Amino acid sequence: MEALKELVKIVNRKRLSKIDVFDKTLLSQGASNLYLKLYEGLENGSIKDDLSAAKYLYDSNEKDAKFRKLKSRFKAKLLKSILLFDIDEVSNSEVVKAYYECLTHNQTIEIIIKLTGTNKLVYELVKDNYAKALKYNFYDILKNYSFYLISYYSLKGDKKNIELEEEKYLKYLDLAQKEQFAKYLYMKVAVEFNRPVAITYDLLAEVKENLDKLNDLKVEINNPEIDFYYFYLALIYFEHSNELHKILTLCDEADALMDSNPETITNTRRFVVLYYRARAFLYSRQYEKGIALINDENRIKIADTGYNWYVLKEVEFKLYLQTKNIERAYEVYESVLNNKSYKRQVAPLIERWKIYHAYLVFMDSYWNNGEYKFSLPKFLNDVPFNQKDKSGFNFAIRVVEILFNAARKDYNLIFSKMDALRIYRSRYLNDNTYKRNHLFLSVLLKAEKSGFNAKEMQNADGYELEELRKQNNYIIAEWEIIPYEILWDIFVELSEG
């Protein structure tokens, strides 16, 4: 009861009367409430930026003082509301719920210390949550809790308890620092894969060195958080080094960790494991396993409004396309286009689906004796972002354009583009990330020298084709929508007609 008495003094009537957060009352008011209008406009996508918000709310512009004041207050209310979430609504993961509770508890203690100093109330509040933070190895929280206790013992002149707590504090401080350093290593390496640069052998060697350091910390620190940072980084590394079998092993390890420690399960972790396992099946040509994995409803349920749903649909689409299941590929494509959140996705993602559609139309016509009806000018106009990207999906655009022209026997158009492709190969496709692009383009350029002679193309062999037909020899990038050796065989067959 003493703790409650102290809390009532802190949470006094004057402070209670001025609490300024969003609540059910505020959000259920009528349309005249500008906070509600702003909230709903952001929620449903009708507000895109400051200009559209000011126009929507005040029929003015973003410099309007009334709008700027409302926006500032709205942001402040949202931020304060984050500290008041119902724990059960934070996440379906026990560890995330526990961390949210410990983190908000820690922040509350910090505020109390600033207002009243370290006192018996602080001691009791720390004791209330200490066991939970210890259960989940929240070292960043534990070092604070331990420090608060030391501060209290110091003020009480309790040297014995300070000495007992000191060992724990130094341990948590060391582990928290190592944990943060492990996360730093992940960020340091992950940025290399998120930059628009080629993944060279030298870069992979540097990544491997840091990955080994992260693994050492993973072994030393008993914390699933670090385990998953290692898994995330290792999955990226092994995919780019084309060690697909190691990806599947890592996914097994991650699943085993979550199965044996249910409190470590989060939707993000389940999704990452599913996503990389599915991609490994795709790139290693284990298509049926990939399809069975994605259709396993016991794995994970992904909300169809988020980015993760879309990128997993890309893998599913490719799996069906490469197994010649045109009907299911169309179903996946249509499910994406009909998704209400599709138009709100980022431009590169939207354009990728336009590229996938081009390949789908082409392969449908090829396998089903279609007429290759497809507007290339409109298609090229609809993918400006990827056309500016001089590698990656830009290459996929160039390839499908050549395929449609070959199917229509318009070799003059293909001839007119070959010089540009020759320059393109020497300028953009020299790193190991683009090795398969380089090999495939080299085969096409040799075919051009023969005037796309069907007989010579049919008898073509050589280093490039041999390398393309080897599996797991080079990185299979996401823009290789149909394996290049299959596209070459299609190109040869089209030349014979």
Side-chain angles (χ1 to χ4, degrees):
M1 189 57 66
E2 290 303 315
L4 288 178
K5 288 180 182 179
E6 289 300 315
L7 282 171
V8 166
K9 289 179 184 178
I10 295 169
V11 188
N12 56 47
R13 290 180 180 271
K14 183 178 180 181
R15 286 173 176 153
L16 277 172
S17 68
K18 294 188 176 182
I19 290 176
D20 193 23
V21 296
F22 281 117
D23 58 20
K24 293 178 181 177
T25 305
L26 180 63
L27 291 180
S28 64
Q29 290 177 13
S32 61
N33 184 333
L34 293 179
Y35 287 123
L36 178 61
K37 286 187 70 175
L38 178 54
Y39 187 96
E40 290 181 337
L42 291 167
E43 185 180 43
N44 62 31
S46 58
I47 290 177
K48 303 291 185 183
D49 49 28
D50 283 348
L51 182 61
S52 62
K55 181 71 175 175
Y56 180 68
L57 297 168
Y58 292 104
D59 196 24
S60 62
N61 59 51
E62 69 273 26
K63 295 182 180 179
D64 188 322
K66 291 183 295 184
F67 165 68
R68 293 167 67 182
K69 186 176 182 179
L70 177 77
K71 178 185 171 186
S72 177
R73 289 182 174 178
F74 180 82
K75 181 179 179 181
K77 288 175 185 287
L78 284 178
L79 288 172
K80 291 175 186 175
S81 300
I82 290 173
L83 298 175
L84 303 176
F85 287 161
D86 183 325
I87 291 174
D88 289 332
E89 292 299 317
V90 170
S91 171
N92 66 344
S93 164
E94 290 303 314
V95 68
V96 173
K97 290 178 184 177
Y99 188 75
Y100 174 83
E101 183 178 357
C102 288
L103 188 62
T104 52
H105 196 78
N106 182 80
Q107 292 305 110
T108 301
I109 293 171
E110 284 278 4
I111 292 168
I112 290 172
I113 290 172
K114 293 294 187 296
L115 294 175
T116 65
T118 303
N119 51 28
K120 184 69 179 293
L121 174 61
V122 170
Y123 170 81
E124 292 189 10
L125 291 176
V126 169
K127 286 295 188 180
D128 284 347
N129 245 36
Y130 203 118
K132 180 168 287 186
L134 189 58
K135 175 183 176 181
Y136 292 100
N137 296 320
F138 295 152
Y139 300 123
D140 57 332
I141 303 291
L142 285 166
K143 69 177 176 60
N144 293 338
Y145 283 178
S146 188
F147 183 77
Y148 301 149
L149 292 180
I150 288 173
S151 298
Y152 176 73
Y153 296 141
S154 176
L155 291 171
K156 296 288 288 183
D158 190 345
K159 184 174 181 180
K160 179 181 177 181
N161 271 321
I162 278 187
E163 290 175 346
L164 289 173
E165 192 64 36
E166 178 184 25
E167 184 179 349
K168 297 177 185 176
Y169 171 68
L170 294 175
K171 173 188 173 184
Y172 300 147
L173 188 65
D174 178 58
L175 289 171
Q177 185 177 28
K178 288 176 177 174
E179 181 179 286
Q180 188 170 48
F181 182 69
K183 294 176 182 178
Y184 156 75
L185 280 177
Y186 167 79
M187 304 298 178
K188 178 184 176 183
V189 177
V191 70
E192 300 295 350
F193 295 108
N194 294 326
R195 292 194 304 149
V197 296
I199 309 301
T200 64
Y201 290 116
D202 288 342
L203 177 58
L204 286 174
E206 183 182 337
V207 171
K208 183 61 166 62
E209 184 179 339
N210 285 298
L211 184 62
D212 290 340
K213 291 179 185 177
L214 184 55
N215 186 51
D216 291 341
L217 287 168
K218 168 179 169 287
V219 172
E220 182 180 353
I221 303 173
N222 177 26
N223 192 339
E225 190 80 8
I226 300 306
D227 292 347
F228 280 98
Y229 272 103
Y230 171 78
F231 288 142
Y232 297 157
L233 189 56
L235 288 168
I236 298 172
Y237 169 76
F238 288 127
E239 185 173 272
H240 282 85
S241 62
N242 210 37
E243 298 177 80
L244 303 178
H245 62 289
K246 291 186 179 180
I247 289 178
L248 295 173
T249 300
L250 277 172
C251 289
D252 288 340
E253 290 178 18
D255 276 340
L257 178 61
M258 286 188 281
D259 289 342
S260 61
N261 298 274
E263 70 276 4
T264 66
I265 297 173
T266 68
N267 280 338
T268 298
R269 290 170 182 174
R270 283 291 195 204
F271 170 76
V272 169
V273 173
L274 171 65
Y275 180 63
Y276 276 93
R277 192 191 294 274
R279 281 164 66 101
F281 284 141
L282 172 66
Y283 296 147
S284 61
R285 318 291 171 86
Q286 300 181 67
Y287 303 134
E288 296 302 331
K289 286 185 177 180
I291 291 170
L293 175 71
I294 287 178
N295 288 327
D296 183 355
E297 294 183 357
N298 294 321
R299 281 274 172 179
I300 185 177
K301 293 190 183 299
I302 303 169
D304 64 2
T305 54
Y307 186 80
N308 287 347
W309 183 83
Y310 285 95
V311 295
L312 190 60
K313 283 295 177 184
E314 292 185 46
V315 180
E316 184 180 6
F317 172 85
K318 292 172 187 174
L319 286 165
Y320 284 128
L321 191 61
Q322 295 191 27
T323 51
K324 301 183 180 182
N325 194 334
I326 290 292
E327 184 178 349
R328 292 303 300 272
Y330 267 113
E331 287 177 8
V332 174
Y333 171 73
E334 292 295 336
S335 73
V336 169
L337 259 64
N338 292 332
N339 190 314
K340 293 180 180 178
S341 67
Y342 172 67
K343 292 182 179 179
R344 298 201 300 269
Q345 300 305 309
V346 294
L349 185 149
I350 291 174
E351 285 191 17
R352 285 203 299 272
W353 281 100
K354 292 177 180 178
I355 296 169
Y356 296 147
H357 179 241
Y359 277 84
L360 179 57
V361 171
F362 176 84
M363 297 308 299
D364 186 13
S365 293
Y366 174 74
W367 282 323
N368 297 308
N369 298 314
E371 298 179 0
Y372 300 98
K373 288 184 177 180
F374 186 77
S375 175
L376 282 173
K378 183 180 184 306
F379 165 65
L380 296 173
N381 190 56
D382 285 346
V383 287
F385 181 91
N386 282 289
Q387 286 204 76
K388 291 175 184 176
D389 172 21
K390 296 304 180 184
S391 53
F393 277 91
N394 177 282
F395 190 73
I397 293 169
R398 292 169 180 261
V399 168
V400 78
E401 184 182 10
I402 289 174
L403 287 168
F404 271 110
N405 287 326
R408 296 165 181 171
K409 307 303 177 188
D410 200 342
Y411 286 98
N412 287 332
L413 263 177
I414 299 177
F415 278 120
S416 69
K417 295 178 181 295
M418 295 313 272
D419 283 341
L421 287 172
R422 194 172 282 104
I423 296 171
Y424 179 88
R425 177 184 61 173
S426 62
R427 187 173 296 173
Y428 301 112
L429 303 180
N430 289 319
D431 294 302
N432 61 302
T433 310
Y434 312 112
K435 183 65 176 179
R436 286 181 61 85
N437 296 36
H438 191 285
L439 290 168
F440 182 58
L441 187 48
S442 296
V443 174
L444 288 177
L445 289 169
K446 283 186 177 180
E448 182 227 4
K449 286 185 178 179
S450 73
F452 296 108
N453 181 278
K455 188 174 181 180
E456 288 192 31
M457 289 171 64
Q458 192 174 25
N459 295 325
D461 48 21
Y463 166 78
E464 291 89 352
L465 270 177
E466 183 180 336
E467 290 297 297
L468 281 175
R469 295 192 193 281
K470 289 179 181 176
Q471 287 193 23
N472 301 330
N473 209 35
Y474 301 104
I475 299 168
I476 299 177
E478 59 182 343
W479 51 81
E480 188 173 338
I481 300 164
I482 297 289
Y484 291 144
E485 67 274 18
I486 294 175
L487 290 184
W488 168 253
D489 292 339
I490 292 172
F491 196 73
V492 171
E493 186 174 334
L494 291 174
S495 70
E496 295 171 351

Short mmCIF file of all heavy atoms in Angstrom, two decimals, residues 393-424:
data_model
loop_
_atom_site.label_atom_id
_atom_site.label_comp_id
_atom_site.label_asym_id
_atom_site.label_seq_id
_atom_site.Cartn_x
_atom_site.Cartn_y
_atom_site.Cartn_z
N PHE A 393 16.51 -5.86 -62.48
CA PHE A 393 15.29 -6.07 -63.26
C PHE A 393 15.31 -5.34 -64.59
O PHE A 393 14.50 -5.64 -65.47
CB PHE A 393 14.07 -5.68 -62.43
CG PHE A 393 13.61 -6.76 -61.51
CD1 PHE A 393 14.09 -6.84 -60.21
CD2 PHE A 393 12.71 -7.73 -61.94
CE1 PHE A 393 13.68 -7.86 -59.37
CE2 PHE A 393 12.30 -8.75 -61.11
CZ PHE A 393 12.78 -8.81 -59.81
N ASN A 394 16.21 -4.41 -64.77
CA ASN A 394 16.39 -3.80 -66.08
C ASN A 394 16.76 -4.88 -67.10
O ASN A 394 16.29 -4.85 -68.25
CB ASN A 394 17.49 -2.74 -66.01
CG ASN A 394 17.78 -2.10 -67.35
OD1 ASN A 394 18.46 -2.69 -68.18
ND2 ASN A 394 17.26 -0.91 -67.56
N PHE A 395 17.58 -5.82 -66.67
CA PHE A 395 17.98 -6.91 -67.57
C PHE A 395 16.79 -7.80 -67.89
O PHE A 395 16.62 -8.25 -69.04
CB PHE A 395 19.09 -7.73 -66.93
CG PHE A 395 19.72 -8.72 -67.87
CD1 PHE A 395 20.56 -8.30 -68.88
CD2 PHE A 395 19.46 -10.08 -67.75
CE1 PHE A 395 21.14 -9.22 -69.76
CE2 PHE A 395 20.02 -10.99 -68.61
CZ PHE A 395 20.88 -10.57 -69.63
N ALA A 396 15.93 -8.04 -66.91
CA ALA A 396 14.72 -8.85 -67.14
C ALA A 396 13.82 -8.18 -68.18
O ALA A 396 13.20 -8.86 -69.01
CB ALA A 396 13.95 -9.05 -65.83
N ILE A 397 13.76 -6.85 -68.14
CA ILE A 397 12.96 -6.10 -69.12
C ILE A 397 13.54 -6.29 -70.52
O ILE A 397 12.82 -6.56 -71.49
CB ILE A 397 12.93 -4.60 -68.75
CG1 ILE A 397 12.16 -4.39 -67.45
CG2 ILE A 397 12.31 -3.77 -69.87
CD1 ILE A 397 12.30 -2.99 -66.86
N ARG A 398 14.85 -6.17 -70.66
CA ARG A 398 15.50 -6.31 -71.96
C ARG A 398 15.33 -7.71 -72.54
O ARG A 398 15.11 -7.89 -73.73
CB ARG A 398 17.00 -5.98 -71.83
CG ARG A 398 17.27 -4.51 -71.53
CD ARG A 398 18.73 -4.27 -71.15
NE ARG A 398 19.00 -2.87 -70.86
CZ ARG A 398 19.54 -2.02 -71.72
NH1 ARG A 398 19.85 -2.42 -72.94
NH2 ARG A 398 19.76 -0.76 -71.38
N VAL A 399 15.40 -8.71 -71.65
CA VAL A 399 15.28 -10.10 -72.10
C VAL A 399 13.88 -10.39 -72.62
O VAL A 399 13.70 -10.99 -73.69
CB VAL A 399 15.65 -11.08 -70.96
CG1 VAL A 399 15.25 -12.51 -71.31
CG2 VAL A 399 17.15 -11.01 -70.66
N VAL A 400 12.85 -9.99 -71.87
CA VAL A 400 11.49 -10.31 -72.30
C VAL A 400 11.14 -9.54 -73.57
O VAL A 400 10.38 -10.03 -74.43
CB VAL A 400 10.47 -10.03 -71.17
CG1 VAL A 400 10.14 -8.55 -71.02
CG2 VAL A 400 9.21 -10.85 -71.37
N GLU A 401 11.71 -8.36 -73.74
CA GLU A 401 11.50 -7.60 -74.98
C GLU A 401 12.07 -8.37 -76.17
O GLU A 401 11.42 -8.49 -77.23
CB GLU A 401 12.18 -6.23 -74.85
CG GLU A 401 11.95 -5.31 -76.05
CD GLU A 401 12.69 -3.99 -75.90
OE1 GLU A 401 13.52 -3.86 -74.98
OE2 GLU A 401 12.44 -3.10 -76.74
N ILE A 402 13.26 -8.92 -76.01
CA ILE A 402 13.88 -9.71 -77.08
C ILE A 402 13.05 -10.95 -77.39
O ILE A 402 12.83 -11.33 -78.55
CB ILE A 402 15.32 -10.12 -76.69
CG1 ILE A 402 16.23 -8.90 -76.71
CG2 ILE A 402 15.87 -11.21 -77.61
CD1 ILE A 402 17.63 -9.16 -76.19
N LEU A 403 12.54 -11.59 -76.34
CA LEU A 403 11.75 -12.81 -76.54
C LEU A 403 10.47 -12.54 -77.33
O LEU A 403 10.12 -13.30 -78.24
CB LEU A 403 11.40 -13.42 -75.18
CG LEU A 403 12.55 -14.11 -74.43
CD1 LEU A 403 12.17 -14.40 -72.99
CD2 LEU A 403 12.97 -15.39 -75.14
N PHE A 404 9.77 -11.47 -77.00
CA PHE A 404 8.56 -11.13 -77.76
C PHE A 404 8.90 -10.83 -79.22
O PHE A 404 8.19 -11.26 -80.15
CB PHE A 404 7.84 -9.94 -77.12
CG PHE A 404 6.84 -10.31 -76.07
CD1 PHE A 404 7.07 -10.03 -74.74
CD2 PHE A 404 5.65 -10.96 -76.43
CE1 PHE A 404 6.14 -10.37 -73.77
CE2 PHE A 404 4.72 -11.31 -75.47
CZ PHE A 404 4.96 -11.02 -74.13
N ASN A 405 9.99 -10.10 -79.46
CA ASN A 405 10.38 -9.78 -80.84
C ASN A 405 10.78 -11.04 -81.60
O ASN A 405 10.48 -11.17 -82.80
CB ASN A 405 11.53 -8.78 -80.84
CG ASN A 405 11.07 -7.38 -80.46
OD1 ASN A 405 9.95 -6.98 -80.77
ND2 ASN A 405 11.90 -6.63 -79.76
N ALA A 406 11.43 -11.98 -80.90
CA ALA A 406 11.80 -13.24 -81.56
C ALA A 406 10.55 -14.04 -81.90
O ALA A 406 10.46 -14.65 -82.98
CB ALA A 406 12.72 -14.05 -80.65
N ALA A 407 9.58 -14.06 -81.00
CA ALA A 407 8.35 -14.81 -81.25
C ALA A 407 7.58 -14.23 -82.43
O ALA A 407 6.90 -14.96 -83.17
CB ALA A 407 7.47 -14.80 -80.00
N ARG A 408 7.72 -12.92 -82.62
CA ARG A 408 7.03 -12.25 -83.74
C ARG A 408 7.90 -12.19 -85.00
O ARG A 408 7.53 -11.54 -85.97
CB ARG A 408 6.64 -10.84 -83.30
CG ARG A 408 5.64 -10.81 -82.15
CD ARG A 408 5.55 -9.43 -81.49
NE ARG A 408 4.60 -9.41 -80.38
CZ ARG A 408 4.46 -8.40 -79.54
NH1 ARG A 408 5.21 -7.32 -79.68
NH2 ARG A 408 3.57 -8.47 -78.56
N LYS A 409 9.07 -12.82 -84.95
CA LYS A 409 10.01 -12.87 -86.08
C LYS A 409 10.50 -11.47 -86.48
O LYS A 409 10.85 -11.24 -87.63
CB LYS A 409 9.38 -13.55 -87.30
CG LYS A 409 8.78 -14.91 -87.03
CD LYS A 409 9.81 -15.86 -86.43
CE LYS A 409 9.20 -17.21 -86.09
NZ LYS A 409 10.14 -18.08 -85.34
N ASP A 410 10.53 -10.58 -85.50
CA ASP A 410 10.98 -9.23 -85.78
C ASP A 410 12.46 -9.10 -85.41
O ASP A 410 12.83 -8.41 -84.47
CB ASP A 410 10.13 -8.22 -85.01
CG ASP A 410 10.22 -6.82 -85.60
OD1 ASP A 410 11.17 -6.58 -86.36
OD2 ASP A 410 9.34 -5.99 -85.30
N TYR A 411 13.29 -9.80 -86.20
CA TYR A 411 14.73 -9.84 -85.88
C TYR A 411 15.42 -8.51 -86.17
O TYR A 411 16.48 -8.23 -85.62
CB TYR A 411 15.40 -10.99 -86.62
CG TYR A 411 15.07 -12.32 -86.02
CD1 TYR A 411 14.05 -13.13 -86.55
CD2 TYR A 411 15.73 -12.77 -84.88
CE1 TYR A 411 13.73 -14.34 -85.97
CE2 TYR A 411 15.41 -13.99 -84.30
CZ TYR A 411 14.42 -14.77 -84.85
OH TYR A 411 14.09 -15.98 -84.27
N ASN A 412 14.85 -7.70 -87.01
CA ASN A 412 15.46 -6.39 -87.27
C ASN A 412 15.50 -5.55 -86.00
O ASN A 412 16.48 -4.85 -85.73
CB ASN A 412 14.69 -5.64 -88.36
CG ASN A 412 14.93 -6.22 -89.74
OD1 ASN A 412 16.00 -6.80 -89.99
ND2 ASN A 412 13.97 -6.10 -90.63
N LEU A 413 14.41 -5.64 -85.22
CA LEU A 413 14.38 -4.91 -83.95
C LEU A 413 15.43 -5.46 -82.98
O LEU A 413 16.07 -4.71 -82.25
CB LEU A 413 12.99 -5.02 -83.32
CG LEU A 413 12.02 -3.85 -83.57
CD1 LEU A 413 10.67 -4.14 -82.94
CD2 LEU A 413 12.60 -2.57 -82.99
N ILE A 414 15.59 -6.77 -82.98
CA ILE A 414 16.60 -7.38 -82.10
C ILE A 414 17.99 -6.94 -82.53
O ILE A 414 18.82 -6.55 -81.69
CB ILE A 414 16.48 -8.92 -82.12
CG1 ILE A 414 15.09 -9.35 -81.62
CG2 ILE A 414 17.57 -9.54 -81.26
CD1 ILE A 414 14.85 -10.84 -81.67
N PHE A 415 18.27 -6.99 -83.85
CA PHE A 415 19.57 -6.56 -84.36
C PHE A 415 19.87 -5.12 -83.94
O PHE A 415 21.00 -4.79 -83.57
CB PHE A 415 19.62 -6.67 -85.89
CG PHE A 415 19.92 -8.05 -86.39
CD1 PHE A 415 19.01 -8.72 -87.20
CD2 PHE A 415 21.12 -8.67 -86.07
CE1 PHE A 415 19.28 -10.00 -87.67
CE2 PHE A 415 21.39 -9.95 -86.54
CZ PHE A 415 20.48 -10.62 -87.35
N SER A 416 18.84 -4.28 -83.97
CA SER A 416 19.04 -2.85 -83.68
C SER A 416 19.41 -2.61 -82.21
O SER A 416 19.94 -1.55 -81.87
CB SER A 416 17.78 -2.06 -84.02
OG SER A 416 16.72 -2.37 -83.12
N LYS A 417 19.13 -3.59 -81.36
CA LYS A 417 19.41 -3.41 -79.93
C LYS A 417 20.70 -4.09 -79.48
O LYS A 417 21.15 -3.89 -78.34
CB LYS A 417 18.24 -3.97 -79.11
CG LYS A 417 16.94 -3.20 -79.33
CD LYS A 417 15.80 -3.81 -78.53
CE LYS A 417 14.50 -3.04 -78.77
NZ LYS A 417 14.55 -1.66 -78.26
N MET A 418 21.31 -4.89 -80.34
CA MET A 418 22.44 -5.71 -79.91
C MET A 418 23.69 -4.90 -79.58
O MET A 418 24.43 -5.24 -78.64
CB MET A 418 22.76 -6.79 -80.95
CG MET A 418 21.64 -7.81 -81.12
SD MET A 418 20.97 -8.46 -79.58
CE MET A 418 22.05 -9.84 -79.28
N ASP A 419 23.95 -3.84 -80.32
CA ASP A 419 25.13 -3.01 -80.00
C ASP A 419 25.01 -2.41 -78.60
O ASP A 419 25.97 -2.36 -77.84
CB ASP A 419 25.31 -1.91 -81.04
CG ASP A 419 25.91 -2.43 -82.33
OD1 ASP A 419 26.51 -3.53 -82.29
OD2 ASP A 419 25.77 -1.76 -83.38
N ALA A 420 23.80 -1.94 -78.29
CA ALA A 420 23.57 -1.36 -76.96
C ALA A 420 23.73 -2.43 -75.88
O ALA A 420 24.29 -2.16 -74.81
CB ALA A 420 22.17 -0.76 -76.89
N LEU A 421 23.30 -3.65 -76.18
CA LEU A 421 23.44 -4.74 -75.22
C LEU A 421 24.91 -5.13 -75.03
O LEU A 421 25.32 -5.51 -73.93
CB LEU A 421 22.63 -5.96 -75.67
CG LEU A 421 21.11 -5.83 -75.52
CD1 LEU A 421 20.40 -7.00 -76.18
CD2 LEU A 421 20.73 -5.74 -74.05
N ARG A 422 25.69 -5.02 -76.09
CA ARG A 422 27.12 -5.34 -76.00
C ARG A 422 27.81 -4.36 -75.04
O ARG A 422 28.64 -4.75 -74.20
CB ARG A 422 27.74 -5.29 -77.39
CG ARG A 422 29.13 -5.91 -77.47
CD ARG A 422 29.61 -6.00 -78.91
NE ARG A 422 28.99 -7.13 -79.62
CZ ARG A 422 28.02 -7.01 -80.51
NH1 ARG A 422 27.52 -5.82 -80.82
NH2 ARG A 422 27.52 -8.07 -81.11
N ILE A 423 27.47 -3.08 -75.18
CA ILE A 423 28.02 -2.06 -74.27
C ILE A 423 27.50 -2.29 -72.86
O ILE A 423 28.24 -2.18 -71.88
CB ILE A 423 27.63 -0.65 -74.77
CG1 ILE A 423 28.27 -0.38 -76.13
CG2 ILE A 423 28.03 0.41 -73.75
CD1 ILE A 423 27.77 0.90 -76.81
N TYR A 424 26.24 -2.64 -72.76
CA TYR A 424 25.59 -2.91 -71.48
C TYR A 424 26.32 -4.04 -70.75
O TYR A 424 26.58 -3.95 -69.54
CB TYR A 424 24.14 -3.28 -71.75
CG TYR A 424 23.31 -3.63 -70.54
CD1 TYR A 424 22.63 -2.64 -69.83
CD2 TYR A 424 23.16 -4.94 -70.12
CE1 TYR A 424 21.84 -2.95 -68.73
CE2 TYR A 424 22.38 -5.27 -69.03
CZ TYR A 424 21.72 -4.27 -68.33
OH TYR A 424 20.94 -4.59 -67.25
#
